[in-house]
Amino acid sequence: MWDDATAMGRLTRWLMVLMVLLLIGTGVAWVYNSDHFPVKQVAIQGKLKYSDGKELQNIAQQYMRGNIFRADVHGAGEAFQKLAWTDSVLVRRRLPDTVEIILEERIPLARWQSGGLLDTKGNVFQAEVEENLPLFSGEPNTGKDMVRHYREFADILDSLGLTINKLIYTPRSAWQVVLDNGITVRLGRENETQRLRHFAEAWPALLEKQRDSLLYVDMRYKDGFSVRHKPTSDRPSE
């Protein structure tokens, strides 16, 4: 074999490749374990309104130890995702010395009657806010459908100067809207959006002048609606 120039050339090339790989591995290990390339900046980005800034910093400090190559971006991402207000998170290295944390918060849309809040994507989460939010009452896993209906209903009522105080989706799949003036609008299990449009059409001419005495308006009729008035003792005095 030592007299075989082809075999010797092949062996030499393999040895050179092995040497290069060893040098690369040694260099990577040195960079990874050295005190050089420290994390000098942790940049938390996003339109953050509800998140606890101190809590975010504590998590960042816990996972961003050592140099930038040892920073545990995966562990940090999982820790941030567990926070109540986090909708999505991206943690990434920016060489030579920066870790970026891009957070997107949940946007609260309503309070969930059985506890917690409902975000704009229909997800229930456990948090508290001081804002005046409508109350949603529905079955488990109906949040997305309720968000869609809320937006449709709110668009119809907005031109009348009416807002939704409570949205109800019953176990029998019937819809009810409680307005900010205390009047309940019963919409039933089908054609609920069209029925609310009929209510909106009737409100200025027929119903608004009775607003202080109305208890509910039942729109579940094919060609009209019915109303129920509050007991006289419950009506505001003139």
Side-chain angles (χ1 to χ4, degrees):
M1 171 179 143
W2 303 111
D3 297 329
D4 188 338
T6 302
M8 286 295 296
R10 188 181 304 115
L11 178 61
T12 301
R13 287 194 295 271
W14 276 109
L15 289 172
M16 291 180 64
V17 170
L18 180 60
M19 184 177 296
V20 170
L21 291 176
L22 287 172
L23 288 172
I24 292 174
T26 301
V28 169
W30 177 83
V31 169
Y32 184 82
N33 293 296
S34 73
D35 294 329
H36 299 282
F37 310 104
V39 177
K40 294 182 179 180
Q41 182 180 7
V42 177
I44 300 178
Q45 303 174 11
K47 297 180 180 179
L48 305 180
K49 180 179 179 181
Y50 304 100
S51 298
D52 185 334
K54 185 177 180 180
E55 187 176 32
L56 298 179
Q57 290 293 341
N58 288 340
I59 292 175
Q61 291 174 6
Q62 179 182 351
Y63 288 91
M64 300 301 113
R65 297 175 178 176
N67 67 22
I68 190 144
F69 299 102
R70 291 204 306 271
D72 188 0
V73 295
H74 179 71
E78 290 185 338
F80 283 117
Q81 192 64 63
K82 292 177 181 179
L83 299 178
W85 284 105
T86 301
D87 183 39
S88 65
V89 60
L90 173 64
V91 183
R92 60 189 180 188
R93 299 178 179 88
R94 286 292 189 188
L95 299 179
D97 56 14
T98 301
V99 175
E100 286 184 343
I101 301 166
I102 303 171
L103 285 170
E104 182 178 345
E105 279 188 332
R106 300 180 188 273
I107 301 174
L109 179 68
R111 299 184 187 278
W112 194 248
Q113 185 157 354
S114 58
L117 302 174
L118 191 77
D119 67 18
T120 52
K121 296 180 180 179
N123 300 308
V124 177
F125 64 105
Q126 299 303 314
E128 291 293 335
V129 290
E130 296 181 358
E131 299 173 21
N132 184 23
L133 299 174
L135 180 66
F136 282 16
S137 177
E139 295 296 290
N141 303 317
T142 60
K144 290 179 174 59
D145 196 24
M146 293 193 73
V147 168
R148 179 176 63 84
H149 276 79
Y150 174 80
R151 288 172 170 160
E152 291 176 354
F153 293 168
D155 285 344
I156 295 170
L157 297 169
D158 183 62
S159 61
L160 303 174
L162 299 173
T163 58
I164 298 173
N165 188 53
K166 184 176 182 179
L167 181 63
I168 302 169
Y169 187 42
T170 73
R172 299 184 64 186
S173 302
W175 293 92
Q176 295 182 29
V177 173
V178 182
L179 303 176
D180 56 335
N181 55 23
I183 298 172
T184 298
V185 184
R186 297 180 177 179
L187 301 171
R189 293 185 292 177
E190 56 186 20
N191 302 319
E192 59 275 3
T193 302
Q194 186 59 41
R195 287 172 175 174
L196 189 63
R197 290 194 181 100
H198 292 160
F199 169 83
E201 292 169 359
W203 177 258
L206 301 174
L207 298 172
E208 186 173 13
K209 57 189 176 183
Q210 307 176 58
R211 62 188 303 162
D212 290 336
S213 65
L214 287 176
L215 183 63
Y216 68 76
V217 180
D218 194 335
M219 303 301 301
R220 296 174 297 174
Y221 295 87
K222 182 177 180 181
D223 299 315
F225 57 87
S226 67
V227 301
R228 179 163 187 152
H229 292 272
K230 300 175 184 176
T232 306
S233 59
D234 292 341
R235 301 180 191 179
S237 58
E238 297 183 359

